[in-house]
Amino acid sequence: MGLSFLVPGLPQLLLGRTVRGIAAFVSTVGLFVVGYAIVGERLWAFELFKPFTILKPVLGFLPLNLLPDVGNAGCSIVAAMLRPPETDEMERLMRLPRAFEHLGLTLTGISGMLGFLWASDAFACAKPKLARPTLAGTAAIASWILPGSGHFLVGQKDKGLLMGGAVLAMWALGLAFGLGHSVDRPLLSAWWIGQAGFGGGVLAASFTTAPLVMDTLPSHYDLGFHLCTIAGLMNLVVIVDAYTRGEAAQAAPAEVPA
Amino acid sequence: MTWLFRLGLYVPVLFLVMLVYVGQHETSAAATLPKALRKTVKFTLYTVLGIAIMLTIEALFLP
């Protein structure tokens, strides 16, 4: 699992799941590289906090304060190494908006979320003698993209509809109250960490609603981004449940004899 | 008026949260729905009680 954080897909390759390993590598490293190419050093403007002196050597190497991007630890470490020295000019450049930054920042963020999900997939795949070792990981990733879809894969369709529907309804309420501006990493970076729990939602928002110009502040803006963040956090619960049910389904129906 | 609107919104939002919270412990939607509804009512009552206590403290101690 730890290996998966550093080199996504390598554990799956070592376990003989070549296609899965390649998919994990491309979806995490590929998305991070594209995102970083778009935003460059601006990425460092979205650290959760500026590291104080005692933490600087650690966070300078592994930026744990860059969430959720650090889920793709290997790429985050490389990006931290490429980080230019902290000068006033660099601080100024970091704060300058970039073209397509919504998309770039979303790509680096979701590559981090995928880092966590592929690591949990590696953990499930590594369990010996199971009939369907990839089910738990697939269910988790499916739920992250579309809430409730993981439950369909593990055979709990009605519950998937109910839980997924609850997350989608909450997300839609949030977007409606924020007039589409509730999911916006450059503007609401700390809230976006929670919203990234719903991968399909943040990706769709980065293409559609996030780049829209906000002329006036929506009257229920705070309600909007709070509800979208709650939806993202609710989806984390749905993902964990789908993964757990997937683990049970992996073992229960047809355990391969030793 | 604003806080009344927010309190009115709070109940359906709480119900959506409870659907996901209760869903983890159940295996079907049929079992999840009634328990989520019961928990929503329970937590709404706790919330109203909490607000009433806060308003009472405000009325007693704040000029």
Side-chain angles (χ1 to χ4, degrees), chain A residues 92-177:
Chain A
R92 191 182 70 81
L93 283 175
M94 264 168 41
R95 283 164 176 74
L96 282 180
R98 304 283 161 91
F100 304 110
E101 66 176 3
H102 291 94
L103 180 63
L105 289 167
T106 301
L107 291 181
T108 58
I110 64 175
S111 86
M113 285 301 294
L114 279 167
F116 288 117
L117 291 166
W118 282 118
S120 62
D121 175 69
F123 179 74
C125 285
K127 288 182 178 174
K129 303 182 188 81
L130 292 173
R132 299 159 73 192
T134 58
L135 185 60
T138 308
I141 292 170
S143 275
W144 176 67
I145 296 168
L146 180 65
S149 56
H151 286 86
F152 270 69
L153 295 177
V154 300
Q156 295 189 342
K157 293 182 182 177
D158 59 342
K159 208 181 90 176
L161 265 178
L162 193 69
M163 291 174 86
V167 173
L168 289 174
M170 186 77 88
W171 186 267
L173 266 177
L175 277 180
F177 278 114

Side-chain angles (χ1 to χ4, degrees), chain A residues 45-71:
Chain A
F46 300 98
E47 287 177 306
L48 205 50
F49 59 89
K50 287 283 170 200
F52 33 92
T53 320
I54 196 166
L55 282 177
K56 228 169 190 172
V58 179
L59 298 185
F61 174 69
L62 178 63
L64 290 166
N65 54 344
L66 189 66
L67 286 168
D69 314 50
V70 75

